[in-house]
Amino acid sequence: MIVYLYGFDGTLILVAAIFSFLPLLFLLAERLRNGGAFTLAEVLSRRFPDPVVRVVMAGTSLVVSLLYLFAQLVGAGILLQALSSTAVILTGGLMTAYLAFGGMLGATWVMIVKAQSTHSWSKILHFPSWWQ
């Protein structure tokens, strides 16, 4: 959408957003691994043992997770709206259930399956244009 609206400038914004992750990865990933931590919240809570830091990090994690959850719920609700009017509630319940029982490993596998199915369906839907 950005590329469509802004042309070459939109392309630069898109590429910059994609590649800005790499310096962060190179600068922080090894330090996190060597420190025995998996998240930035763990590093901060070890460095600053004050309980306020843990509360702030938990709050920010919840806010980001809720924003991600809302986006997924709206997208899934739009797709499942033809099935029933309570599709958003059902989808939210299913997402909460697989996260509660599967943890981060379950969430990771669900994201892998979603990415693969999205890629496959985009290829299948694009197939008729291959013949032209």
Side-chain angles (χ1 to χ4, degrees):
M1 181 78 170
I2 291 176
V3 176
Y4 176 74
L5 290 176
Y6 298 108
F8 185 70
D9 293 336
T11 306
L12 291 178
I13 292 171
L14 183 66
V15 169
I18 291 171
F19 286 110
S20 65
F21 179 71
L22 293 175
L24 183 67
L25 180 70
F26 288 131
L27 291 174
L28 291 180
E30 187 175 356
R31 292 182 183 186
L32 287 175
R33 187 176 56 107
N34 291 340
F38 293 105
T39 63
L40 195 56
E42 263 185 300
V43 172
L44 289 175
S45 66
R46 287 182 185 173
R47 190 160 175 91
F48 306 106
D50 190 22
V52 174
V53 174
R54 290 180 184 257
V55 170
V56 169
M57 294 307 289
T60 55
S61 296
L62 284 174
V63 167
V64 170
S65 297
L66 284 175
L67 291 173
Y68 182 66
L69 177 68
F70 290 153
Q72 276 191 340
L73 284 175
V74 169
I78 290 170
L79 289 174
L80 298 174
Q81 191 173 14
L83 298 175
S84 78
S85 61
T86 60
V88 175
I89 295 170
L90 290 173
T91 307
L94 288 173
M95 289 169 63
T96 304
Y98 79 70
L99 279 175
F101 293 118
M104 281 306 293
L105 183 62
T108 303
W109 277 106
V110 167
M111 285 190 238
I112 290 169
V113 170
K114 286 192 315 188
Q116 289 298 323
S117 66
T118 302
H119 179 72
S120 299
W121 278 107
S122 67
K123 291 291 183 190
I124 289 169
L125 293 174
H126 187 65
F127 185 71
S129 67
W130 292 353
W131 301 105
Q132 297 176 355

